[in-house]
Amino acid sequence: MNVKTAPSAQPEAPTSTTPSRETTEPWLWAAARDTPLTEDDHPWSGKWLWFTPLSLLDASWTTIRAATEDGLLGYRSKAATLINTRTKSDDTRRPICVYTRDWRDIDDVQRVLTNLRALGIVDVLLYKTDSDTLRGRYGTGASTFVAPATKLKLVIPKRTREALEHHYAARAQTRRAATARRKAPVPKRT
């Protein structure tokens, strides 16, 4: 797998703000300006997942953290530290997650993907909703979107297409009902 980080992502001196040196927390977090790290998840939030090789973890996190804080990516991001392990996980990689507020906002999901590619990330990227994570959906079939290696194109799996179609149909029905209510004659009071 070909992995590249942006040229500006020079490894920083090991500190507790680098995932390879953090020994007390499973995640390191970054947030866009005016977004508190303690902000609750949004009901439709999701994240791009990049499973980063350990050898590039610190430099990759430096790049993602800076881009998040500069407002180029989603509203927040996080990197798994070396103490963050799951059963059946690959010990040679750790996830870096870049969050968006609404997975149904395809334009924003695409914007973040485009900026991740512009940062030099060429690996396969997976997008997953936070609700799927909370439900324990992991592995094959859990991704809401997929971005093949080096590609800017979103691959939308069948279950995601169906969910989006349902969402758009419900929105259209709500708009039609609101329009009908506005056009309905107002009964006269006597």
Side-chain angles (χ1 to χ4, degrees):
M1 184 175 289
N2 187 13
V3 179
K4 180 180 170 186
T5 59
S8 62
Q10 299 303 316
E12 57 186 44
T15 68
S16 63
T17 61
T18 58
S20 68
R21 300 291 187 214
E22 176 58 47
T23 59
T24 60
E25 297 293 329
W27 297 99
L28 294 180
W29 290 85
R33 289 185 189 105
D34 302 323
T35 303
L37 284 175
T38 57
E39 179 176 328
D40 290 334
D41 288 334
H42 297 269
W44 303 107
S45 63
K47 66 258 179 201
W48 279 109
L49 298 158
W50 177 26
F51 294 94
T52 312
L54 291 179
S55 63
L56 296 173
L57 183 60
D58 290 345
S60 299
W61 175 239
T62 298
T63 300
I64 296 296
R65 185 182 67 220
T68 300
E69 291 169 349
D70 289 343
L72 298 174
L73 300 176
Y75 70 104
R76 66 180 173 183
S77 60
K78 68 180 180 182
T81 65
L82 296 187
I83 64 171
N84 187 328
T85 58
R86 286 187 43 232
T87 308
K88 298 182 182 178
S89 66
D90 181 351
D91 284 341
T92 66
R93 296 178 175 275
R94 290 294 183 276
I96 293 178
C97 305
V98 178
Y99 287 83
T100 67
R101 285 189 168 93
D102 190 340
W103 68 268
R104 302 166 305 171
D105 184 348
I106 302 291
D107 291 338
D108 189 47
V109 171
Q110 180 67 59
R111 177 191 67 80
V112 173
L113 171 61
T114 299
N115 287 338
L116 288 167
R117 294 294 189 223
L119 291 172
I121 300 167
V122 298
D123 284 337
V124 170
L125 296 173
L126 306 173
Y127 188 96
K128 185 176 170 186
T129 65
D130 287 341
S131 60
D132 279 345
T133 299
L134 291 172
R135 287 187 205 120
R137 288 185 60 123
Y138 290 93
T140 305
S143 297
T144 307
F145 305 110
V146 177
T150 73
K151 304 295 183 197
L152 286 172
K153 179 183 177 189
L154 282 177
V155 175
I156 305 175
K158 181 179 177 182
R159 82 174 177 96
T160 303
R161 274 195 312 276
E162 290 169 352
L164 287 169
E165 288 167 3
H166 176 74
H167 166 71
Y168 294 131
R171 283 179 58 190
Q173 183 177 1
T174 300
R175 280 194 297 271
R176 285 191 300 273
T179 300
R181 281 192 303 275
R182 282 192 302 271
K183 291 181 178 180
V186 177
K188 293 183 180 181
R189 295 185 188 198
T190 55

